[in-house]
């Protein structure tokens, strides 16, 4: 099991609450295929409150993917929508759950953001 | 073949064929079956005994259904055939085609009926830019069906073809051997189903059963309901009724059902190449159609909110709070050769999202949705202050971070030369175009209203109003061109005015950022001979360096632009001028059988006597389709105030009586009436086909209408 993925979900669990998911209620499960085993991450969202478990329970949205793809996603190197269109993830159930969930995946780590000029000079 | 293309569609699935129903596309030829921004069929040729067919007639039965009456043989002066072929095609998840053959002869015939099939799986962007594919193709002949496959790594797209009658399938098509006795009829149906694999949208069953005549069981019914449920328009001026009807049906065709909207739909930008979600286009069209079809605004708000930016992503020009510009599902988006997953490079949709939210609330009273979207509205407002002020001068400006495939011009006038100085020079980046500041002002004022009424946050409302007032004061100082007495189209990277006279001044009226004392001069410019053509307001004024009456954003008249200008004129009390613009644009609509093009030439009306259409691949265009609806609103002066709909007509005289019946809103349903009393002299409607030199108005006043509460 990837440490990167584990620590992402651990961090999520520790946060207890995600304000960007306050309109969401439901469960999303990530099934991560690695060789002959499948890891399950089940995230229950209740108006922003988060509970993470490692089980194979029922979910409103099931995302199937492989380790490297999910690692890329939780580190901001892979874009969720693009990976989905490429077929690196498949989805069963409520697509909206994933659309909202992507809010809490990190963005690209090397992003500069808009170059904004201030009275002192240029900041980025 | 006449060269006329036949287009049918349902959402983002559409079929473009020649007038016989055949598809014979090259990489650059825009015919085919398209779905999810991918061409799933590039070859679909019907032959009988090896002969191609000739169209006797073609009927676009509905926007989702066409019928082709065909006979064998091509290119002769007349046809003398004993055989008729009728091909009826309906679009669904792919398409459904019924073939009927009639033998009119007195002797039996044996026929080989063949459909040649091929798919290049081109991305829409590849069709536009003629790019080469990177994946591999394969074909599988299965029992009773033909499967066409394209694969690139984990990306897989499939087209499945199957017929209801026995056929011989090979890698390049399917063949029916048909025996027809005298006067006998034979028929079969063929289904073409598209699949996006790996993406979890695998569906082998078309939404229709074999033998069913409709692509989707309730599509015809759905269109009927759509038209029936919309308000009715009554007028002495017949063409206006036809234009309204055309708009309503076209708007139905432009509906796009996002996968996350639970079956609801929002307006896509244009047909067929822009059947996708566009922030700006969906918002403007939703604003235009609010009095008629408010459900479009609701789905637009929900969907744009769901995809609101939350990251800083340079490739997608994404920032937290930013509203998307365009979303695509094709191969190039999937492999990040294009940034549309989604792409956020616009500088206006974020403020307009808040504007729409408030306008939607004023009409529908849907407090629940506004409460739900509070977080997104606040994030949008934060984007204006924290991410959009690139120059640190308190104004929204834009400069793309994706320099390879991002958009250079992130305002609605998005062509390369649309923003220019009076002498024709182009400014550098960032650019702070004027209308963006107007939208920001309006967004803050409207959000302040929502903060008080719905979010119950008075300090936030006060802060927004204070910021808006400050913005207005600075804007009227910094953008006002003193010697010309109008607002500059932009400030350049050095904060210097980009001093050309443009239609953007009208959007400023709409947003309310113009100080009252300056409004009269602005209106004189808009209605003066340099901007007003007699049909409408030009994008760029005559005598400007880059003025060209057939230049995309540098002289043409855009119906959508004019509808918002008319709204702006009403906002500042210029009733007659608003009526004159409505008259000009609606007159023009008559020349296009009620379907306004994206843009038409800026030639003076007195010169051409008819509007010269700008050549464009997309028709109908959503915000042109919404234009007559907004003009109906501005002519009747419809304004929702609390739980009432105020009606304050200002109609061109030639229009006679006008009634819009059953306008939905927080008041239930009401009717609005008006009578045209504003004398347009010769430029008014009904005079449309005569010479119409714009003239100084002589107002006789306008009788006020009434709003009758019903239901």
């Amino acid at each position: 099991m990837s440490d990167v993925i584990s620590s992402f979900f651990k961090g999520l669990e520790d946060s207890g609450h995600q304000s960007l998911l306050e309109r969401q209620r439901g469960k999303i499960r990530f099934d991560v295929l690695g060789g002959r085993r499948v890891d399950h991450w089940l995230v229950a969202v209740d108006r922003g409150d988060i509970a993470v478990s490692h089980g194979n329970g029922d979910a409103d949205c099931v995302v199937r993917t492989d380790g490297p793809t999910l690692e890329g996603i939780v580190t901001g190197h892979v874009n969720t929508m693009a990976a989905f269109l490429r077929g690196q993830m498949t989805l069963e159930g409520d697509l909206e759950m994933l659309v909202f969930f992507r809010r809490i995946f990190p963005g690209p780590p090397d992003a500069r953001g808009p170059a904004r000029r201030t009275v002192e000079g240029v900041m980025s | 073949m006449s060269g006329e293309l036949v287009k049918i569609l349902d959402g983002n699935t559409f079929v473009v064929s020649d007038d016989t129903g055949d598809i014979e596309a090259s990489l650059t030829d825009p015919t085919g079956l398209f779905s999810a921004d991918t061409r799933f069929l590039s070859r679909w040729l019907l032959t009988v005994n090896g002969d191609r067919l000739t169209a006797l007639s073609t009927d676009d039965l509905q926007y989702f259904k066409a019928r082709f009456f065909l006979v064998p043989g091509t290119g002769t002066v007349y046809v003398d055939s004993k055989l008729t072929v009728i091909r009826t095609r309906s679009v669904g998840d792919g398409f459904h085609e019924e073939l009927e053959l009639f033998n009119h002869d007195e002797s039996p015939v044996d026929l080989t009926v063949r459909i040649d099939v091929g798919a290049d799986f081109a991305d829409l962007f590849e069709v536009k830019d003629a790019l080469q594919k990177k994946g591999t193709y394969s074909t599988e002949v299965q029992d009773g069906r033909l499967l066409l496959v394209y694969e690139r790594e984990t990306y897989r797209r499939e087209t499945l073809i199957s017929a209801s009658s026995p056929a011989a399938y090979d890698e390049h098509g399917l063949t029916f051997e048909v025996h027809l006795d005298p006067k006998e009829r034979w028929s079969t149906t063929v289904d073409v189903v598209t699949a996006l694999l790996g993406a979890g949208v695998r569906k082998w069953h078309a939404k229709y059963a074999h033998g069913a005549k409709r692509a989707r069981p309730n599509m015809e019914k759905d269109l009927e309901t759509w038209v029936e449920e919309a308000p009715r328009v009554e007028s002495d001026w017949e063409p206006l009724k036809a234009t309204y009807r055309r708009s309503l049906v076209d708007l139905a065709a432009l509906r796009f059902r996002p996968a996350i909207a639970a079956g609801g739909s929002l307006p896509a930008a244009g047909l067929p190449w822009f059947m996708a979600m566009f922030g700006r286009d969906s918002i403007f069209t939703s604003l235009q159609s609010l009095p008629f079809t408010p459900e479009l605004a609701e789905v637009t708000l929900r969907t744009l909110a769901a995809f609101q930016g939350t990251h800083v992503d340079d490739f997608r020009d994404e920032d937290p709070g930013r509203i998307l510009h365009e979303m695509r599902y094709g191969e190039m988006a999937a492999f990040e050769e294009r940034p549309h997953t989604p792409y956020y490079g616009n500088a206006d949709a974020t403020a307009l999202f808040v504007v729409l939210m408030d306008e939607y609330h004023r009409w529908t009273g849907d407090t629940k949705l506004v409460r739900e979207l509070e977080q997104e509205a606040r994030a949008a407002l934060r984007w204006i202050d924290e991410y959009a002020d690139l120059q640190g001068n308190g104004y929204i400006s834009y400069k793309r971070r994706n320099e390879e495939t991002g958009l250079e011009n992130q305002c609605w006038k998005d062509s390369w030369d649309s923003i220019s100085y009076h002498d024709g020079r182009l400014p550098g980046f960032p650019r702070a175009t004027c209308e963006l500041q107007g939208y920001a002002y309006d967004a803050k004022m409207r959000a302040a209203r929502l903060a008080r009424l719905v979010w119950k946050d008075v300090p936030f409302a006060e802060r927004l109003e204070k910021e808006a007032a400050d913005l207005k004061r600075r804007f009227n100082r910094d953008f006002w061109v003193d010697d010309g007495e109008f607002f500059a189209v932009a400030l350049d990277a050095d904060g210097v005015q980009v001093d050309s006279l443009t239609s953007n001044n009208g959007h400023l009226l709409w947003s309310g950022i113009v100080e009252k004392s300056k409004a009269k001069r602005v209106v004189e410019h808009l209605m003066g001979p340099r901007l007003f053509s007699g049909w409408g307001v030009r994008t760029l004024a005559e005598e400007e360096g880059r003025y060209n009456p057939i230049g995309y954003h540098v002289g043409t008249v855009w119906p959508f632009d004019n509808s918002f200008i008319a709204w702006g004129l009403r906002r500042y009390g210029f009733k007659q001028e608003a009526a004159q613009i409505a008259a000009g644009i609606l007159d023009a609509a008559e020349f296009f059988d009620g379907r306004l093009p994206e843009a038409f030439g800026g030639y003076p009306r007195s010169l051409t006597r008819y509007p010269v259409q700008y050549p464009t691949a997309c028709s109908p265009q959503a915000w042109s389709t919404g234009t007559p609806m907004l003009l109906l609103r501005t002519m009747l002066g419809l304004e929702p105030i609390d739980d009432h709909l105020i009606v304050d007509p200002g109609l061109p005289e030639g229009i006679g009586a006008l009634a819009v019946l059953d306008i939905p809103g927080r008041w239930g349903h009401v009717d609005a009436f008006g009578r045209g009393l504003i004398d347009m002299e010769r430029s008014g409607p009904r005079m449309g086909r005569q010479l119409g030199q714009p003239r100084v108005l002589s107002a006789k006043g306008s009788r006020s209408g009434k709003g009758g509460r019903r239901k």
Side-chain angles (χ1 to χ4, degrees):
Chain A
M1 189 200 325
S2 155
D3 291 347
V4 179
I5 295 172
S6 302
S7 65
F8 171 80
F9 284 107
K10 172 121 190 6
L12 196 59
E13 163 120 71
D14 290 348
S15 75
H17 187 85
Q18 291 289 330
S19 59
L20 288 170
L21 299 180
E22 277 170 5
R23 277 204 282 133
Q24 293 303 299
R25 234 176 189 169
K27 288 178 184 169
I28 183 167
R29 197 181 80 216
F30 292 85
D31 291 355
V32 189
L33 284 77
R36 270 176 296 173
R37 59 175 288 173
V38 181
D39 281 333
H40 304 283
W41 295 96
L42 183 64
V43 183
V45 183
D46 186 3
R47 303 218 174 274
D49 290 344
I50 303 279
V52 181
S53 64
H54 209 51
N56 187 19
D58 285 346
D60 306 283
C61 173
V62 177
V63 178
R64 287 196 186 85
T65 188
D66 55 39
T69 301
L70 192 58
E71 250 186 68
I73 286 173
V74 302
T75 53
H77 289 94
V78 171
N79 178 275
T80 313
M81 293 310 289
F84 176 62
L85 290 175
R86 277 197 301 274
Q88 285 178 301
M89 325 165 62
T90 63
L91 187 139
E92 223 172 84
D94 184 7
L95 173 65
E96 190 171 328
M97 281 294 289
L98 180 65
V99 168
F100 277 90
F101 211 78
R102 65 188 256 291
R103 292 179 169 192
I104 60 169
F105 293 132
D110 57 347
R112 289 170 291 121
R116 275 164 289 167
R117 193 184 298 166
T118 64
V119 272
E120 292 85 34
V122 175
M123 67 177 198
S124 56
Chain B
M1 193 185 123
S2 66
E4 190 80 4
L5 295 178
V6 178
K7 301 175 228 174
I8 53 171
L9 89 157
D10 172 32
N12 74 349
T13 301
F14 59 93
V15 188
V16 184
S17 70
D18 70 19
D19 65 351
T20 69
D22 277 352
I23 294 164
E24 198 174 14
S26 64
L27 192 58
T28 53
D29 181 348
T31 56
L33 159 65
F34 295 87
S35 187
D37 307 319
T38 305
R39 178 154 62 195
F40 282 86
L41 271 186
S42 49
R43 189 174 173 81
W44 188 254
L45 298 181
L46 178 64
T47 53
V48 176
N49 290 339
D51 287 331
R52 298 279 293 271
L53 302 160
T54 297
L56 295 180
S57 76
T58 303
D59 291 340
D60 291 336
L61 299 170
Q62 298 289 5
Y63 63 81
F64 48 84
K65 186 173 185 179
R67 183 169 290 151
F68 308 87
F69 292 87
L70 311 169
V71 290
T74 51
T76 49
V77 178
Y78 70 99
V79 278
D80 177 19
S81 177
K82 302 289 189 192
L83 187 75
T84 304
V85 178
I86 300 176
R87 193 178 200 181
T88 307
R89 176 180 297 159
S90 306
V91 68
D93 288 339
F95 67 73
H96 175 78
E97 190 159 300
E98 184 179 26
L99 287 179
E100 296 169 90
L101 274 66
F102 298 87
N103 177 17
H104 308 298
D105 209 344
E106 279 133 36
S107 46
V109 285
D110 286 292
L111 303 167
T112 300
V113 179
R114 174 157 177 93
I115 301 172
D116 275 316
V117 175
D120 66 0
F121 295 96
D123 186 304
L124 269 190
F125 289 113
E126 292 171 315
V127 177
K128 282 198 264 177
D129 302 341
L131 301 170
Q132 293 300 319
K133 300 296 289 181
K134 294 179 176 159
T136 55
Y137 298 94
S138 59
T139 308
E140 271 177 56
V141 179
Q142 301 175 341
D143 183 27
R145 59 191 203 180
L146 174 61
L147 182 65
L148 309 175
V149 182
Y150 175 79
E151 283 174 294
R152 176 174 166 193
E153 298 167 27
T154 45
Y155 176 95
R156 185 179 164 107
R157 299 291 181 266
E158 298 182 353
T159 308
L160 181 78
I161 296 120
S162 61
S164 60
S165 308
Y169 294 83
D170 60 69
E171 289 199 347
H172 304 289
L174 58 163
T175 306
F176 306 92
E177 297 298 342
V178 178
H179 175 84
L180 276 179
D181 282 328
K183 311 296 176 198
E184 204 189 359
R185 168 185 177 273
W186 173 86
S187 76
T188 187
T189 59
V190 186
D191 280 293
V192 181
V193 181
T194 61
L196 286 68
L197 276 101
V201 199
R202 181 169 197 152
K203 11 181 196 193
W204 281 130
H205 304 290
K207 287 172 186 163
Y208 35 83
H210 279 310
K213 295 227 165 109
R214 289 170 185 168
R216 282 147 43 82
N218 47 15
M219 246 169 110
E220 245 137 9
K221 180 90 189 101
D222 170 72
L223 179 59
E224 266 169 43
T225 312
W226 171 261
V227 172
E228 265 168 29
E229 285 181 357
R232 274 183 302 129
V233 168
E234 298 293 343
S235 172
D236 295 338
W237 191 39
E238 284 297 325
L240 178 60
K241 292 200 300 198
T243 296
Y244 172 67
R245 165 94 195 175
R246 180 80 262 158
S247 288
L248 206 52
V249 172
D250 283 350
L251 202 53
L254 286 159
R255 283 174 303 169
F256 177 89
R257 286 180 302 276
I260 61 165
S265 42
L266 54 77
L271 206 162
W273 307 113
F274 299 102
M275 285 310 288
M277 233 190 292
F278 281 79
R280 176 188 305 134
D281 300 68
S282 300
I283 292 172
F284 273 133
T285 309
S286 294
L287 282 166
Q288 292 172 317
S289 60
L290 249 176
F292 299 87
T293 53
E295 61 270 35
L296 294 177
E298 186 200 339
V299 178
T300 298
L301 287 166
R302 279 186 190 285
T303 308
L304 294 179
F307 284 102
Q308 184 175 42
T310 46
H311 305 119
V312 173
D313 182 335
D314 299 332
F315 176 62
R316 293 175 179 77
D317 277 318
E318 176 182 358
D319 313 304
R322 203 168 190 177
I323 294 298
L324 71 85
H325 177 64
E326 179 179 357
M327 173 103 88
R328 293 288 187 177
Y329 306 113
E331 181 181 346
M332 298 189 78
F335 285 92
E336 300 180 291
E337 292 158 355
R338 290 287 186 281
H340 300 91
T341 41
Y343 180 59
Y344 291 87
N346 72 66
D348 49 11
T350 307
L352 290 170
F353 169 76
V354 179
V355 170
L356 176 63
M357 194 182 297
D358 174 64
E359 190 66 20
Y360 170 77
H361 183 256
R362 287 171 188 261
W363 279 87
T364 63
D366 185 352
T367 298
K368 186 171 162 285
L369 182 67
V370 175
R371 202 175 287 135
E372 268 181 54
L373 299 184
E374 176 181 352
Q375 193 181 67
E376 283 84 353
R378 285 178 186 263
L381 292 158
R382 249 194 324 274
W383 178 83
I384 293 173
D385 296 332
E386 292 179 17
Y387 291 91
D389 179 9
L390 301 182
Q391 311 190 65
N393 58 3
Y395 296 120
I396 295 181
S397 58
Y398 57 82
K399 181 184 180 179
R400 64 179 175 176
R401 308 208 290 281
N402 175 348
E403 297 209 344
E404 213 171 306
T405 50
L407 282 177
E408 228 174 20
N409 278 301
Q410 304 193 346
C411 55
W412 84 260
K413 292 180 179 174
D414 57 1
S415 55
W416 67 278
D417 62 346
S418 61
I419 309 297
S420 61
Y421 299 93
H422 173 65
D423 61 13
R425 280 177 303 125
L426 300 176
F429 297 93
R431 292 175 179 174
T433 54
C434 64
E435 81 288 359
L436 300 175
Q437 323 314 324
Y439 303 157
Y441 169 80
D442 202 21
K444 288 182 186 229
M445 292 299 286
R446 286 170 177 271
R449 175 183 167 276
L450 296 176
R452 276 182 217 282
L453 280 178
V454 184
W455 305 326
K456 309 290 181 198
D457 186 347
V458 175
F460 185 43
E462 285 169 351
R463 199 192 91 202
L464 288 165
E465 281 160 351
K466 192 167 157 290
E467 288 170 1
D470 176 57
L471 173 60
K472 183 170 182 169
R473 187 184 50 74
R474 288 185 291 112
F475 178 82
N476 279 271
R477 179 192 67 203
D478 297 345
F479 280 74
W480 187 248
V481 179
D482 282 322
D483 57 357
E485 296 190 296
F486 57 84
F487 289 97
V489 67
L491 296 186
D492 67 15
D494 300 315
V496 174
Q497 292 179 348
V498 181
D499 57 350
S500 55
L501 173 61
T502 61
S503 65
N504 300 43
N505 278 271
H507 282 237
L508 296 174
L509 292 176
W510 171 56
S511 68
I513 199 173
V514 176
E515 282 171 356
K516 272 228 156 65
S517 60
K518 293 190 164 74
K520 189 160 171 289
R521 269 311 276 149
V522 168
V523 174
E524 282 166 2
H525 280 297
L526 290 168
M527 306 311 291
R530 286 182 64 201
L531 275 174
F532 193 68
S533 76
W535 299 108
V537 177
R538 300 180 178 100
T539 40
L540 181 66
E542 278 185 347
E543 295 164 33
E544 293 298 338
R546 285 191 180 263
Y547 172 74
N548 170 3
I550 47 167
Y552 199 48
H553 293 124
V554 291
T556 52
V557 173
W558 285 59
F560 121 82
D561 193 20
N562 276 270
S563 68
F564 282 88
I565 294 170
W567 191 353
L569 290 165
R570 287 299 312 240
R571 182 165 181 166
Y572 279 80
F574 293 88
K575 210 185 243 192
Q576 298 149 35
E577 290 80 359
Q580 187 161 2
I581 286 183
I585 297 294
L586 291 170
D587 259 358
E590 199 187 338
F591 285 89
F592 301 111
D593 295 322
R595 177 179 286 169
L596 282 162
E598 182 180 30
F600 49 83
Y603 303 107
R605 185 170 178 170
S606 55
L607 181 74
T608 60
R609 302 186 182 208
Y610 57 88
V612 177
Q613 184 167 357
Y614 182 88
T616 170
C618 267
S619 178
Q621 194 92 6
W623 58 21
S624 293
T625 302
T627 290
M629 294 183 175
L630 180 48
L631 292 177
L632 283 166
R633 173 182 176 174
T634 62
M635 286 193 297
L636 286 171
L638 303 180
E639 207 52 57
I641 302 208
D642 300 327
D643 283 339
H644 304 280
L645 183 65
I646 305 301
V647 184
D648 177 20
L651 271 62
E653 189 175 57
I655 219 162
L658 172 67
V660 179
L661 307 174
D662 272 342
I663 304 168
R666 55 205 300 167
W667 40 80
H669 287 77
V670 299
D671 303 337
F673 304 94
R675 179 164 288 281
L677 290 176
I678 292 179
D679 184 5
M680 294 292 122
E681 299 197 358
R682 286 185 171 277
S683 65
R686 275 201 173 148
M687 315 299 282
R689 299 199 186 267
Q690 300 174 30
L691 179 62
Q693 174 74 1
R695 296 192 184 191
V696 178
L697 295 164
S698 68
K700 291 180 184 168
S702 174
R703 200 177 71 186
S704 82
K706 56 181 181 189
R709 187 181 283 261
R710 302 192 349 154
K711 289 180 188 171

